[in-house]
Amino acid sequence: MDHFELKNGELCAEQVPLAEIAREVGTPVYVYSRATLSRHARVFREALSALPKVHIAFAVKSNPNLAVLRLLAKEGYGADVVSEGEMNRALAAGIAPKDVVFSGVGKTRAELIAAVRAGIGQFNLESEEEGVELAGIAAALGKTAACALRVNPDVDARTHAKISTGKAENKFGVSHDRASGIYARLSALPGLDMRGLAVHIGSQIGDLEPSRQAFLKMGALMNALRVQGFKVTHMDLGGGLGVPYKAGEQLPTPADYGAMVTEVALGWGVTLMFEPGRVITGNSGVLVTEVVRVKRGAGHPWVVVDAAMNDLARPAMYDAWHDFVAVKPSGETMIANIVGPICESSDTFALAREIDAVRVGDLAVFRTAGAYGATMANTYNSRALVPEVMVDGDKWAVVASRIEPATILAAEQVPEWLD
Ligand code: LLP
């Protein structure tokens, strides 16, 4: 459920007509609904309420906007970060260092040092080598780094191959059969407090069974470690729950997910940690765009919009579907190809799709663009970096300004020796 609805024939974010934002900020522009974000944060927490000890660390990568992070901090969320940049954003938003989990397969030495100094709550180690390096850093700084070992359970999440992370051939974590040996060796190192395990099998998961299988494997590993005398007080079950991208699409809900986790993990006697991203932010945002041209084609007409693959990369990267609706629908429909202005054919949002009829100058939105939208934007074709707006009831504010091509140009220099 979200708060982007037609009011008097016009698509609004909460009480604010999207046309008003487009007029003042220009297009393309991302618009987030505060009420939707808060609602999703609460629904996800509520779904886990049968579990005694829960820590929810929002996956910053899905939407790192400072205002979004501040809102989630106020909802009591911690943060799951994968770079020093994300860590600094989470801290700047007011999330306590102890509530931050540092994930990621290639944390650099400089990042590990910065995170130990900042007092980050947990490092999710992706390898024995990383653990050894972190132990040395922490000991040298006179600190102890709390750690979980990320395990690759070799389970197929049945999602798009490019966002699947839990198969043996994926780069993430340590293999299930080597995990207890690594856990034992890392537990012996000064500087580390090995306190748990972590798993994350993929994103946009639409079937809970693979997650259940992975969690059962993690539970068995936890028991085996305890039998060997090791401490396991924390279990990080990652993120990955999918969201509907098409109107009417049925996916497991947070409540379904919570019931599954409760069934598997209620008796584990650990703090259960979660790293949701998309399920919190996905339906909380739309990308507003204007139709630049409607061009006759060999087949269906080409609707050329002013948003492109640099603003919303998901269709080009993962063949992802985003519903496209007019801001002032006339009630008529058309079948069209929707494309951006960028000079390659991958800049395609939809082919042969039935959409609201649109004409040049009309506004439209790509829905469910709050996760992995603005954060994956770039400036390809020397386009601006897309701005972001947050709405709250009848008020709204720009929460990330458009970065104009001239600003980016100003950061480039021609060396003297070229002239
Ligand atoms: N935890 C870890 C360790 C992750 O790698 C991810 C996502 C998450 C949590 C959050 O997953 P979520 O709850 O958002 O599914 N750019 C892609 C998605 C990449 C996901 C990467 N990892 C897309 O646009 O679909």
Side-chain angles (χ1 to χ4, degrees), residues 252-316:
T253 62
D256 298 331
Y257 174 81
M260 180 275 283
V261 173
T262 303
E263 185 235 349
V264 173
L266 183 61
W268 282 1
V270 294
T271 297
L272 282 174
M273 303 172 72
F274 299 88
E275 302 170 351
R278 189 186 320 257
V279 71
I280 308 296
T281 50
N283 285 315
S284 308
V286 297
L287 174 61
V288 185
T289 187
E290 184 177 313
V291 177
V292 174
R293 196 149 290 115
V294 179
K295 172 180 149 159
R296 191 183 299 169
H300 301 296
W302 300 98
V303 170
V304 187
V305 295
D306 68 355
M309 63 188 284
N310 72 301
D311 305 302
L312 176 62
R314 304 192 66 260

Side-chain angles (χ1 to χ4, degrees), residues 224-254:
L225 284 167
R226 284 179 172 165
V227 167
Q228 293 168 55
F230 296 105
K231 178 185 82 170
V232 183
T233 57
H234 290 72
M235 184 69 90
D236 186 336
L237 298 181
L241 185 59
V243 299
Y245 277 95
K246 290 183 190 173
E249 195 181 357
Q250 293 297 322
L251 265 93
T253 62

Side-chain angles (χ1 to χ4, degrees), residues 59 61-62 80 103 150 163 200 202-204 238-241 275-278 314 318 372 376:
K61 63 172 82 69
S62 78
D80 164 52
S103 303
R150 179 165 176 184
I163 52 175
H200 172 79
S203 194
Q204 185 53 14
L241 185 59
E275 302 170 351
R278 189 186 320 257
R314 304 192 66 260
Y318 319 112
Y372 307 106
M376 290 174 69

Side-chain angles (χ1 to χ4, degrees), residues 308-313 317 342 373-386 403 408:
M309 63 188 284
N310 72 301
D311 305 302
L312 176 62
M317 282 186 76
I342 281 183
T375 183
M376 290 174 69
N378 59 64
T379 60
Y380 184 39
N381 274 207
S382 291
R383 291 165 53 83
L385 198 61
V386 61
I403 299 180
I408 295 162

